[in-house]
Amino acid sequence: MAGKSEAVLVIGGGIAGIQAALDLGDMGIKVHLVEKKPAIGGRMAQLDKTFPTNDCSICILAPKLADCFRHPNIALHTLSEVKEVTGQIGDFLVRLRRNARFVDEEKCVNCGDCAAKCPVKVPDEFDMGLRRREAIYPYYLQGVPSVMAIDREHCLYLTRDVCRICERFCTREAIDFEQKDTDVMVNVGAIIIATGFDLYDPSGILQYGYKRYRNVITSLEYERLICASGPTGGHLVRPSDNKPAEKIAFVQCVGSRDFKNNRYCSSVCCMHATKEAMLAYEHDPRVKSYIFYMDLRAAGKGFQEYIARGERDYNISYIRGRAAKITEDHDENPIVWYEEAESSKTNKIAVELAVLATSLMPRSDAVDLSEILGVELDEYNFFKTDPLSPLDTTRPGIFACGCCREPTDIPESVAQASGAAARAAEAVSR
Amino acid sequence: MTREERFEPDIIGFLCNWCSYAGADLAGVSRFQYPPNVRIIRVMCSARVDPIIVLEAFTRGLDGVMVLGCHLGDCHYMTGNYYTETRIKTTREVLKDAGLSPERLLIDWVSAAEGERFAALVKEFTERVRKLGPLGDETDLELQQLRTRLIAAKATLAQERLRWLVGRERELVEHENVFGEKVSQEEFDQLMLQTIEKEFAKRRILLSMGEDALSVREIAQRVEASPGDVLRNMITLERDGFVSVVGIEGSSPMYRRAGR
Amino acid sequence: MKEVRVGVFICHCGTNIGGFLDVPGLVKYALNLPYVVFVQDNKYTCSESGLTEIKNAIAEERLNRVVVASCTPRTHEPLFKSTCKDAGLNPYLFQFVNIRDQCSWVHMQERERATEKAKALIGMGVARAALLEPLEETAVEVNPCALVLGGGITGMTCALSLANRGFDVKLVEKEDQMGGTLNRLYKLYPTGEEASKLVRAKIKEIEKNPKIEVFTTSEVEEVEGFVGNYDVTIRRGEKKRILSVGVIIVATGAETLKPVGMYGYDGENVITQLELEQMLKKGRISAESVVMIQCVGSRDEKRVYCSKVCCPTALKNAILIKEANQDAQVFVLYRDMVAQGTTYEDYYAEARETGITFVKYSPERQPVVQNRSVRVYDELLGEEIILPFDLVVLSPPMVARRDSANLAQKLKVPVDEYGFFLEAHVKLRPVDFATDGIYVCGCAHWPTNVSESVFQAYGAASRASIPMSVGHVKTEPSISVVDEDECSGCGLCEMTCPFNAIRVEETEKGRKAKVIAASCKGCGACGAGCPQQAITMRHFTDEQLLAQVIPLAEAI
């Protein structure tokens, strides 16, 4: 046993993890913030604007990223994972795996000279594969820490022992191929899980044509397209011909409320589809959007007004009816076939772009992580919490917040994150 | 026109730390190029920009001024940019009264994610000011006259009554007063324009008087206004203590500035 | 004034600046500026060696102002400020000049003009630096005691969380017992736990906790002070008492709209879900045919919002009715079934499986409650149906408490158009108010269920514990300062400030504006609008700003 600790481990550097870490850090409690990716920011960094205020996501996130980075009480571990946890509340011993970045974080100034010379081009994960990046890259431009990382799966030197051009062109001598993955032991009194979500892969729903039809995309791909700092500079263009899309269909409940896939409701999609349609209209007032939904779930503060605005001012039609299938015509225009709920008649609309609101899901490694942490998952593999003690997992001293618990929006994730911080603070102050 | 002969506008931009300054930084990180005519001064909030400072910039000879803040509703300090909006709107009206093109003063909202947009904005504004020419080109005033107008404009924006009205726009238009009445935006705008016009006229009069004792007709000549209008303003100025009657010549009162 | 000695450090940033600007030219230019006694260029000013050179120069050259011309203050200013501090120089005597992100990187093809611009920027920076004043951060002590307004599940959860961490808590409850809305509920969804059991358990915890002092049958009379130092007067009957606390948490909950005049509401045959709860609690439900109507008085023109909890409540109560009487006919007339998340969708399925019938209606064709039956147009069937009933249960929305506007005024915090308390930022600060030291959680903030109220309660506890844990609130010195001789007490500043950080008070000189340093954010909105120009913004004074307004022709 390591001994009682008043530090807290936060797993996940998205908005929930960041908020929990900042609250704890501000309280004077030491935090280890562990993030798997090369930079913190999570899903929120991938969004353009957020409902119901439609304010710029990265603008409100960036100050928090900077605060985290500079905070005297927060130790930021990026490119890191939790490998082992032993002990109990008040006294956990955690083995963290710090994966090698191959770039010296102290020296790199993010100038980009290395990437300019790197010959490798691979699909960029942050931009949902809509753009290619080099093997040495910043996870995203405003990412924190503001340094490069080398993708060990595609770097020519790390896979085939050749190249090393980046090293030659770095004037700061920041490239370090000698770096090794290291294990670090930390002693904490409480753990907060804030690992966020993955999205349902709709290629499993053959009738929607995802991956077969180029102009059928997912909502996160759409977010990257419409984002000012995304792969097309915020120009909403069709993947097939780069022409602007003036008629857009948003298909809801893809992979959720579905007995074959996930029975639960993904909670936030009614709102984010509305937002996405609004953004398209803001970029181009010729845009007409159709949202195919089952039940409109807009119960948060200002949400109903938001939907009403969408209908009234942003040329959005809400059609109650689940989309049965999507086909396409010879111009690659998606055609959405749906059953009108009121009349039970089938109808179809031809659009220029179809956006699938794919369900929020637990992370693919949730099962592994739950085993490492010794906590239970619910039947969907979200981290299980008690509805009347909604931040506590099944193991004392380990708390969960945000979408790793259940699909939820940003305001709730933030409130939950602060809540988890309070619970963790209670745990370490016993 | 060759490159050497082309007029290069001299522009200062006041950018707020949280949004527009960050947007400008992003333009840099993304290497979006724009003309080097604008020099940026960082403020924490666009609401820091007192209209007097904007006028001082023009008085010193700047050809264009940009004031950029967060998008409405996104201000890091909650409501700051709403005040910026009213203040700069008012300043543009005062510039108009002074004979200058209000297009020399830009107010816009740039978020921290809008690097490309910032660069485009700067390009556009630079060209716009270039077309307007050096400060004062759009008037037919001589340098000294222009200076006087600008000083009067600055004094107008320093005027207590005007600043009070500017600061209360939001409250008056959005909330009711104690009698349960609301002021419509049109009514407010009209009131504002009238106030600006009145105050500017008064400032010009005061400036034109210098240390001299003058009759209404003499003052009217100096400011190129009708004696009737000038008289009305003199009465108000006297009531408010800015001028005093120091004598009578014939049947006209002689006024002098009261050194306030 | 003591002699101003400015040191200028110009960074090459590798080739990022050095490759596009004539740095030696900048050095030469800087040396000729007034007040500049030392100029150095560095490959990377932010490197260990660069920082050491700054520190050495401060000592050796007796610099009392430092200007660094390099990347952007948004990332690097804190680093250089602390470097100055390490060298014994007040960090507010540091000036940053952005010649990379806003110069070399954006004028890559115009070396000459970009260099001219950089010179002008450095000139501007030096001019401001010369006018900078040393400023000290001060701190205001925080009373480690929290006031929680409201003794419902939200208030109790929040109080316990804080007390468990060792803070003193004063819990003020309007009614004569704690429990709030849960006292009027029967079972909770989706677990089926009895509300009264949960309440009793929480009250027991509260009573056992020596750190929590409870004031029932008490209300807030007056609130004075600011973050860390609030004096709140509470009243119980005729007696008054002043509680001195550091932070205040609003957990006053909400009411339910009484649907007077809607759907024939009479409290007997046409009742609300809340009244149904009472009946179920007492075991007195003998209805054979129940029709529930959702969205009564909500999602309409007057109240646009959705009250979130009514659909799951209807599901719960419908299931309970069926459990009590398998043969009972239950119809739920709804517009959208709001059963979000992982648990409620299953709950909805469960309800359908027990034989509850769901009828979708649209707001254009509202159900009509007649003598013994409800007439409704079923949107999915496409025809009108008549449902006989012996009990109609309406789901009206949660509404803000009648006295919430009054409390908001006392606390000087805002409410939205529906009377619910308005947080600092809808997304990223959902439980904070813009005014420091006051927080909000639960239904006082927005209609919500027990789960969400509980994590908001913990959330508010976390936020409120921050100033209390630290023990003090640092006051940033770049705040507004009022010249009382110039101030006319007009109050425009107070109106302008969203943080309640400047207020007009009585002084010997009359009514004057006073700045609350602990709350002032230094934005400048008050100063730039003061009719008397009586406010100075420290570190961003008019002089410091105007010193930078140098026409290019003068600069180069």
Side-chain angles (χ1 to χ4, degrees), chain A residues 23 26-27 50-51 171-172 257 263 267 295-297 299 301 305 320 387-388 406 418 426, chain C residues 44 161 164-165 193 336-337 339-340 342 345-346 360 418 421 423 427 445-446 451 462-463 470:
Chain A
D23 274 11
D26 284 346
M27 285 179 215
T50 56
F51 61 77
T171 55
R172 298 272 285 155
R257 298 195 73 187
R263 289 198 317 272
S267 282
D295 285 280
L296 218 47
R297 287 161 179 190
K301 196 164 198 165
E305 288 86 343
R320 194 187 196 110
L388 297 174
E406 180 178 41
S418 285
E426 278 180 68
Chain C
Y44 292 100
S161 183
N164 285 340
R165 293 204 17 232
E193 169 145 2
D336 285 282
M337 187 48 57
Q340 290 174 257
T342 46
E345 202 57 54
D346 277 345
K360 181 179 173 336
Y418 301 114
F421 288 93
E423 64 269 54
K427 303 210 74 67
H445 165 248
W446 194 251
S451 255
S462 170
R463 304 293 298 156
V470 177

Short mmCIF file of all heavy atoms in Angstrom, two decimals, chain A residues 23 26-27 50-51 171-172 257 263 267 295-297 299 301 305 320 387-388 406 418 426, chain C residues 44 161 164-165 193 336-337 339-340 342 345-346 360 418 421 423 427 445-446 451 462-463 470:
data_model
loop_
_atom_site.label_atom_id
_atom_site.label_comp_id
_atom_site.label_asym_id
_atom_site.label_seq_id
_atom_site.Cartn_x
_atom_site.Cartn_y
_atom_site.Cartn_z
N ASP A 23 -11.67 22.25 -10.97
CA ASP A 23 -12.31 22.45 -9.67
C ASP A 23 -11.43 21.92 -8.56
O ASP A 23 -11.18 22.60 -7.56
CB ASP A 23 -13.67 21.75 -9.63
CG ASP A 23 -14.78 22.63 -10.18
OD1 ASP A 23 -14.48 23.67 -10.78
OD2 ASP A 23 -15.95 22.27 -10.00
N ASP A 26 -8.34 24.01 -8.15
CA ASP A 26 -8.66 25.29 -7.50
C ASP A 26 -8.92 25.12 -6.02
O ASP A 26 -8.72 26.04 -5.24
CB ASP A 26 -9.88 25.93 -8.16
CG ASP A 26 -9.54 26.55 -9.51
OD1 ASP A 26 -8.34 26.71 -9.80
OD2 ASP A 26 -10.49 26.86 -10.27
N MET A 27 -9.39 23.93 -5.65
CA MET A 27 -9.62 23.68 -4.22
C MET A 27 -8.30 23.46 -3.48
O MET A 27 -8.28 23.39 -2.27
CB MET A 27 -10.45 22.41 -4.02
CG MET A 27 -11.90 22.54 -4.33
SD MET A 27 -12.63 20.92 -4.05
CE MET A 27 -13.87 20.85 -5.30
N THR A 50 -21.96 25.27 -30.22
CA THR A 50 -22.67 24.38 -29.30
C THR A 50 -24.05 24.96 -29.00
O THR A 50 -24.20 26.16 -28.84
CB THR A 50 -21.88 24.24 -27.99
OG1 THR A 50 -21.66 25.54 -27.44
CG2 THR A 50 -20.52 23.60 -28.24
N PHE A 51 -25.05 24.07 -28.85
CA PHE A 51 -26.40 24.57 -28.51
C PHE A 51 -26.50 24.85 -27.03
O PHE A 51 -25.70 24.28 -26.27
CB PHE A 51 -27.46 23.54 -28.95
CG PHE A 51 -27.36 22.18 -28.28
CD1 PHE A 51 -27.80 21.96 -26.97
CD2 PHE A 51 -26.80 21.10 -28.97
CE1 PHE A 51 -27.70 20.71 -26.37
CE2 PHE A 51 -26.70 19.85 -28.38
CZ PHE A 51 -27.15 19.65 -27.08
N THR A 171 14.81 23.00 -35.82
CA THR A 171 15.90 23.86 -35.33
C THR A 171 15.99 23.87 -33.81
O THR A 171 16.87 24.45 -33.23
CB THR A 171 15.71 25.31 -35.81
OG1 THR A 171 14.41 25.74 -35.38
CG2 THR A 171 15.80 25.40 -37.31
N ARG A 172 15.02 23.23 -33.15
CA ARG A 172 15.01 23.23 -31.70
C ARG A 172 15.51 21.93 -31.12
O ARG A 172 15.53 21.77 -29.91
CB ARG A 172 13.56 23.45 -31.21
CG ARG A 172 12.98 24.76 -31.63
CD ARG A 172 13.30 25.83 -30.63
NE ARG A 172 12.49 25.69 -29.43
CZ ARG A 172 12.83 26.13 -28.22
NH1 ARG A 172 13.97 26.72 -28.06
NH2 ARG A 172 12.04 25.98 -27.20
N ARG A 257 -32.47 4.06 -29.83
CA ARG A 257 -33.92 3.78 -29.80
C ARG A 257 -34.25 2.66 -30.79
O ARG A 257 -35.22 2.72 -31.53
CB ARG A 257 -34.72 5.04 -30.14
CG ARG A 257 -34.49 6.18 -29.14
CD ARG A 257 -35.56 7.24 -29.28
NE ARG A 257 -36.82 6.77 -28.74
CZ ARG A 257 -37.97 7.42 -28.84
NH1 ARG A 257 -38.01 8.57 -29.46
NH2 ARG A 257 -39.07 6.92 -28.34
N ARG A 263 -30.92 0.29 -27.36
CA ARG A 263 -32.31 0.61 -27.05
C ARG A 263 -32.46 2.02 -26.51
O ARG A 263 -33.53 2.62 -26.61
CB ARG A 263 -32.87 -0.36 -26.01
CG ARG A 263 -33.10 -1.76 -26.54
CD ARG A 263 -34.03 -2.55 -25.63
NE ARG A 263 -33.75 -2.39 -24.21
CZ ARG A 263 -32.89 -3.13 -23.52
NH1 ARG A 263 -32.22 -4.09 -24.13
NH2 ARG A 263 -32.71 -2.92 -22.23
N SER A 267 -30.13 11.15 -26.38
CA SER A 267 -30.37 12.41 -25.64
C SER A 267 -30.10 13.72 -26.34
O SER A 267 -30.88 14.65 -26.21
CB SER A 267 -29.55 12.46 -24.34
OG SER A 267 -30.14 11.69 -23.38
N ASP A 295 -39.25 11.38 -31.44
CA ASP A 295 -39.79 12.26 -30.39
C ASP A 295 -38.79 13.39 -30.23
O ASP A 295 -37.59 13.14 -30.16
CB ASP A 295 -39.93 11.52 -29.05
CG ASP A 295 -41.10 10.58 -29.04
OD1 ASP A 295 -42.23 11.07 -28.84
OD2 ASP A 295 -40.90 9.38 -29.24
N LEU A 296 -39.29 14.60 -30.16
CA LEU A 296 -38.39 15.74 -30.03
C LEU A 296 -38.04 15.91 -28.56
O LEU A 296 -38.89 16.18 -27.73
CB LEU A 296 -39.09 16.98 -30.56
CG LEU A 296 -38.22 17.97 -31.33
CD1 LEU A 296 -37.35 17.26 -32.35
CD2 LEU A 296 -39.11 18.98 -32.01
N ARG A 297 -36.77 15.73 -28.25
CA ARG A 297 -36.35 15.81 -26.85
C ARG A 297 -35.54 17.08 -26.65
O ARG A 297 -34.38 17.15 -26.99
CB ARG A 297 -35.58 14.55 -26.46
CG ARG A 297 -36.62 13.45 -26.35
CD ARG A 297 -36.18 12.07 -26.41
NE ARG A 297 -37.38 11.23 -26.25
CZ ARG A 297 -37.36 9.93 -26.07
NH1 ARG A 297 -36.21 9.32 -26.00
NH2 ARG A 297 -38.48 9.25 -25.95
N ALA A 299 -35.57 19.35 -23.54
CA ALA A 299 -36.08 19.69 -22.22
C ALA A 299 -35.17 20.60 -21.43
O ALA A 299 -35.51 21.02 -20.36
CB ALA A 299 -36.35 18.41 -21.43
N LYS A 301 -32.62 23.98 -20.59
CA LYS A 301 -32.88 25.41 -20.49
C LYS A 301 -32.72 26.07 -21.85
O LYS A 301 -31.64 26.03 -22.43
CB LYS A 301 -31.88 26.03 -19.51
CG LYS A 301 -32.27 27.38 -19.02
CD LYS A 301 -31.45 27.72 -17.78
CE LYS A 301 -32.08 28.85 -17.02
NZ LYS A 301 -31.54 28.98 -15.68
N GLU A 305 -37.15 26.84 -27.06
CA GLU A 305 -37.08 28.10 -27.81
C GLU A 305 -36.15 27.94 -28.99
O GLU A 305 -36.38 28.49 -30.07
CB GLU A 305 -36.57 29.22 -26.89
CG GLU A 305 -37.57 29.67 -25.83
CD GLU A 305 -37.51 28.82 -24.57
OE1 GLU A 305 -36.93 27.71 -24.62
OE2 GLU A 305 -38.04 29.26 -23.54
N ARG A 320 -41.95 14.19 -38.56
CA ARG A 320 -42.02 13.08 -37.62
C ARG A 320 -42.13 11.79 -38.40
O ARG A 320 -43.14 11.51 -39.04
CB ARG A 320 -43.22 13.24 -36.70
CG ARG A 320 -43.09 12.29 -35.54
CD ARG A 320 -44.34 12.29 -34.70
NE ARG A 320 -44.05 11.69 -33.43
CZ ARG A 320 -44.00 12.35 -32.28
NH1 ARG A 320 -44.28 13.62 -32.25
NH2 ARG A 320 -43.70 11.73 -31.17
N PRO A 387 -28.89 5.84 -9.57
CA PRO A 387 -29.65 7.06 -9.89
C PRO A 387 -29.76 8.05 -8.73
O PRO A 387 -29.83 9.24 -8.94
CB PRO A 387 -31.04 6.52 -10.25
CG PRO A 387 -30.83 5.12 -10.63
CD PRO A 387 -29.62 4.63 -9.91
N LEU A 388 -29.75 7.53 -7.48
CA LEU A 388 -29.88 8.46 -6.37
C LEU A 388 -28.54 8.90 -5.81
O LEU A 388 -28.45 9.75 -4.95
CB LEU A 388 -30.76 7.85 -5.26
CG LEU A 388 -32.18 7.60 -5.78
CD1 LEU A 388 -33.01 6.86 -4.75
CD2 LEU A 388 -32.87 8.92 -6.14
N GLU A 406 -23.55 8.22 -19.37
CA GLU A 406 -24.82 8.24 -20.08
C GLU A 406 -24.73 9.37 -21.09
O GLU A 406 -24.10 10.38 -20.80
CB GLU A 406 -25.91 8.55 -19.04
CG GLU A 406 -27.30 8.61 -19.62
CD GLU A 406 -28.34 8.87 -18.53
OE1 GLU A 406 -28.08 9.68 -17.64
OE2 GLU A 406 -29.39 8.25 -18.63
N SER A 418 -18.19 18.92 -11.97
CA SER A 418 -17.99 19.63 -10.70
C SER A 418 -18.48 18.76 -9.56
O SER A 418 -17.85 18.69 -8.50
CB SER A 418 -18.75 20.96 -10.71
OG SER A 418 -18.10 21.90 -11.51
N GLU A 426 -14.51 14.99 -1.12
CA GLU A 426 -15.00 14.38 0.12
C GLU A 426 -14.20 13.13 0.43
O GLU A 426 -13.79 12.89 1.56
CB GLU A 426 -16.47 13.98 -0.03
CG GLU A 426 -17.46 15.09 0.18
CD GLU A 426 -18.90 14.59 0.02
OE1 GLU A 426 -19.34 13.80 0.87
OE2 GLU A 426 -19.55 14.98 -0.96
N TYR C 44 15.58 31.93 -29.03
CA TYR C 44 14.30 31.55 -28.42
C TYR C 44 14.24 32.18 -27.04
O TYR C 44 14.78 31.64 -26.10
CB TYR C 44 14.17 30.02 -28.28
CG TYR C 44 14.05 29.30 -29.59
CD1 TYR C 44 15.15 28.66 -30.16
CD2 TYR C 44 12.84 29.27 -30.27
CE1 TYR C 44 15.05 28.01 -31.37
CE2 TYR C 44 12.74 28.62 -31.49
CZ TYR C 44 13.83 27.99 -32.03
OH TYR C 44 13.73 27.35 -33.23
N SER C 161 -22.44 17.53 1.50
CA SER C 161 -21.16 17.43 0.79
C SER C 161 -20.16 18.41 1.37
O SER C 161 -18.99 18.08 1.58
CB SER C 161 -21.35 17.69 -0.69
OG SER C 161 -20.14 17.55 -1.39
N ASN C 164 -19.19 17.43 5.03
CA ASN C 164 -18.28 16.28 5.04
C ASN C 164 -16.85 16.69 4.77
O ASN C 164 -15.92 15.95 5.08
CB ASN C 164 -18.71 15.24 4.00
CG ASN C 164 -19.92 14.45 4.44
OD1 ASN C 164 -20.22 14.40 5.63
ND2 ASN C 164 -20.62 13.83 3.51
N ARG C 165 -16.69 17.86 4.16
CA ARG C 165 -15.34 18.31 3.89
C ARG C 165 -14.85 19.25 4.97
O ARG C 165 -13.78 19.80 4.87
CB ARG C 165 -15.30 18.98 2.52
CG ARG C 165 -15.54 17.93 1.49
CD ARG C 165 -15.04 18.14 0.13
NE ARG C 165 -14.06 19.14 -0.05
CZ ARG C 165 -14.21 20.09 -0.96
NH1 ARG C 165 -15.30 20.13 -1.69
NH2 ARG C 165 -13.27 20.98 -1.12
N GLU C 193 -37.97 3.80 -5.56
CA GLU C 193 -37.71 4.07 -4.14
C GLU C 193 -38.71 5.08 -3.60
O GLU C 193 -39.12 6.00 -4.30
CB GLU C 193 -36.29 4.65 -4.04
CG GLU C 193 -35.94 5.22 -2.68
CD GLU C 193 -34.48 5.01 -2.33
OE1 GLU C 193 -33.77 4.45 -3.18
OE2 GLU C 193 -34.08 5.40 -1.23
N ASP C 336 -44.68 14.82 -27.25
CA ASP C 336 -43.44 14.09 -27.50
C ASP C 336 -43.16 13.33 -26.22
O ASP C 336 -43.30 13.88 -25.15
CB ASP C 336 -42.27 15.05 -27.79
CG ASP C 336 -42.34 15.66 -29.16
OD1 ASP C 336 -41.98 14.96 -30.12
OD2 ASP C 336 -42.78 16.82 -29.28
N MET C 337 -42.76 12.10 -26.32
CA MET C 337 -42.46 11.34 -25.11
C MET C 337 -41.01 11.60 -24.75
O MET C 337 -40.08 11.15 -25.41
CB MET C 337 -42.72 9.86 -25.38
CG MET C 337 -42.60 8.97 -24.16
SD MET C 337 -43.48 9.51 -22.67
CE MET C 337 -45.13 9.65 -23.24
N ALA C 339 -38.35 10.74 -22.91
CA ALA C 339 -37.76 9.67 -22.10
C ALA C 339 -36.32 9.52 -22.58
O ALA C 339 -36.00 8.62 -23.34
CB ALA C 339 -38.53 8.37 -22.29
N GLN C 340 -35.48 10.43 -22.10
CA GLN C 340 -34.12 10.47 -22.63
C GLN C 340 -33.18 9.54 -21.89
O GLN C 340 -33.49 9.03 -20.81
CB GLN C 340 -33.57 11.90 -22.50
CG GLN C 340 -34.26 12.85 -23.44
CD GLN C 340 -33.82 14.28 -23.20
OE1 GLN C 340 -34.54 15.05 -22.60
NE2 GLN C 340 -32.64 14.62 -23.64
N THR C 342 -30.28 6.54 -20.90
CA THR C 342 -30.22 5.09 -20.92
C THR C 342 -31.36 4.43 -20.15
O THR C 342 -31.78 3.34 -20.50
CB THR C 342 -28.89 4.60 -20.33
OG1 THR C 342 -28.65 5.32 -19.12
CG2 THR C 342 -27.75 4.85 -21.28
N GLU C 345 -35.84 5.22 -21.62
CA GLU C 345 -36.35 4.57 -22.82
C GLU C 345 -36.89 3.19 -22.45
O GLU C 345 -37.95 2.76 -22.91
CB GLU C 345 -35.22 4.45 -23.85
CG GLU C 345 -35.66 4.29 -25.28
CD GLU C 345 -36.56 5.39 -25.80
OE1 GLU C 345 -36.18 6.56 -25.71
OE2 GLU C 345 -37.63 5.04 -26.30
N ASP C 346 -36.18 2.48 -21.59
CA ASP C 346 -36.64 1.16 -21.14
C ASP C 346 -37.91 1.29 -20.31
O ASP C 346 -38.81 0.45 -20.37
CB ASP C 346 -35.56 0.49 -20.27
CG ASP C 346 -34.51 -0.20 -21.11
OD1 ASP C 346 -34.76 -0.41 -22.32
OD2 ASP C 346 -33.44 -0.55 -20.55
N LYS C 360 -50.80 10.05 -29.25
CA LYS C 360 -50.11 11.29 -29.57
C LYS C 360 -51.11 12.32 -30.04
O LYS C 360 -51.91 12.08 -30.94
CB LYS C 360 -49.09 11.04 -30.67
CG LYS C 360 -48.32 12.30 -31.02
CD LYS C 360 -47.29 12.06 -32.08
CE LYS C 360 -46.65 13.32 -32.57
NZ LYS C 360 -47.36 14.55 -32.44
N TYR C 418 -38.68 33.28 -17.28
CA TYR C 418 -39.67 32.46 -16.58
C TYR C 418 -39.50 32.53 -15.08
O TYR C 418 -40.23 31.87 -14.34
CB TYR C 418 -39.55 31.00 -17.02
CG TYR C 418 -39.75 30.81 -18.50
CD1 TYR C 418 -38.71 30.39 -19.32
CD2 TYR C 418 -40.98 31.06 -19.09
CE1 TYR C 418 -38.89 30.23 -20.67
CE2 TYR C 418 -41.17 30.90 -20.46
CZ TYR C 418 -40.12 30.49 -21.24
OH TYR C 418 -40.28 30.32 -22.59
N PHE C 421 -33.61 31.02 -11.91
CA PHE C 421 -32.36 31.73 -11.72
C PHE C 421 -31.45 31.55 -12.94
O PHE C 421 -31.37 30.46 -13.51
CB PHE C 421 -31.66 31.24 -10.44
CG PHE C 421 -32.35 31.72 -9.20
CD1 PHE C 421 -33.32 30.94 -8.58
CD2 PHE C 421 -32.06 32.96 -8.67
CE1 PHE C 421 -33.98 31.39 -7.44
CE2 PHE C 421 -32.71 33.42 -7.53
CZ PHE C 421 -33.67 32.64 -6.92
N GLU C 423 -27.90 31.41 -14.67
CA GLU C 423 -26.51 31.14 -14.33
C GLU C 423 -25.54 32.01 -15.13
O GLU C 423 -25.93 32.71 -16.05
CB GLU C 423 -26.21 29.66 -14.59
CG GLU C 423 -26.33 29.25 -16.06
CD GLU C 423 -27.72 28.76 -16.39
OE1 GLU C 423 -28.69 29.48 -16.14
OE2 GLU C 423 -27.82 27.66 -16.96
N LYS C 427 -23.48 27.02 -20.76
CA LYS C 427 -22.75 25.79 -21.05
C LYS C 427 -21.68 25.49 -20.01
O LYS C 427 -21.63 24.41 -19.46
CB LYS C 427 -22.08 25.92 -22.42
CG LYS C 427 -23.08 26.21 -23.49
CD LYS C 427 -22.65 25.66 -24.80
CE LYS C 427 -22.79 24.16 -24.88
NZ LYS C 427 -24.15 23.68 -24.85
N HIS C 445 -32.97 26.37 -10.60
CA HIS C 445 -32.25 26.68 -11.82
C HIS C 445 -33.09 26.31 -13.04
O HIS C 445 -33.16 27.07 -14.00
CB HIS C 445 -30.92 25.90 -11.81
CG HIS C 445 -30.22 25.84 -13.12
ND1 HIS C 445 -30.09 24.67 -13.84
CD2 HIS C 445 -29.63 26.79 -13.85
CE1 HIS C 445 -29.43 24.92 -14.96
NE2 HIS C 445 -29.13 26.19 -14.99
N TRP C 446 -33.74 25.15 -13.00
CA TRP C 446 -34.53 24.68 -14.16
C TRP C 446 -35.22 23.40 -13.74
O TRP C 446 -34.68 22.64 -12.97
CB TRP C 446 -33.59 24.42 -15.34
CG TRP C 446 -34.29 24.26 -16.66
CD1 TRP C 446 -34.44 23.10 -17.38
CD2 TRP C 446 -34.97 25.26 -17.41
NE1 TRP C 446 -35.15 23.32 -18.52
CE2 TRP C 446 -35.50 24.65 -18.57
CE3 TRP C 446 -35.17 26.63 -17.21
CZ2 TRP C 446 -36.21 25.37 -19.53
CZ3 TRP C 446 -35.88 27.34 -18.16
CH2 TRP C 446 -36.40 26.71 -19.30
N SER C 451 -32.13 12.86 -9.78
CA SER C 451 -30.75 12.54 -10.16
C SER C 451 -29.97 13.79 -10.53
O SER C 451 -28.89 14.05 -10.03
CB SER C 451 -30.75 11.64 -11.40
OG SER C 451 -30.44 10.33 -11.06
N SER C 462 -19.04 21.76 -5.03
CA SER C 462 -17.66 21.82 -5.50
C SER C 462 -17.25 23.27 -5.77
O SER C 462 -16.23 23.75 -5.29
CB SER C 462 -17.52 20.99 -6.77
OG SER C 462 -16.26 21.21 -7.37
N ARG C 463 -18.08 23.97 -6.54
CA ARG C 463 -17.76 25.35 -6.91
C ARG C 463 -17.66 26.23 -5.68
O ARG C 463 -16.74 27.03 -5.55
CB ARG C 463 -18.82 25.92 -7.86
CG ARG C 463 -19.06 25.10 -9.12
CD ARG C 463 -17.91 25.09 -10.05
NE ARG C 463 -17.62 26.42 -10.52
CZ ARG C 463 -16.44 26.82 -10.97
NH1 ARG C 463 -15.43 25.98 -11.01
NH2 ARG C 463 -16.27 28.05 -11.40
N VAL C 470 -9.48 27.59 -0.48
CA VAL C 470 -8.28 28.41 -0.61
C VAL C 470 -8.15 29.33 0.59
O VAL C 470 -7.05 29.67 1.01
CB VAL C 470 -8.33 29.21 -1.92
CG1 VAL C 470 -7.13 30.13 -2.04
CG2 VAL C 470 -8.40 28.28 -3.10
#
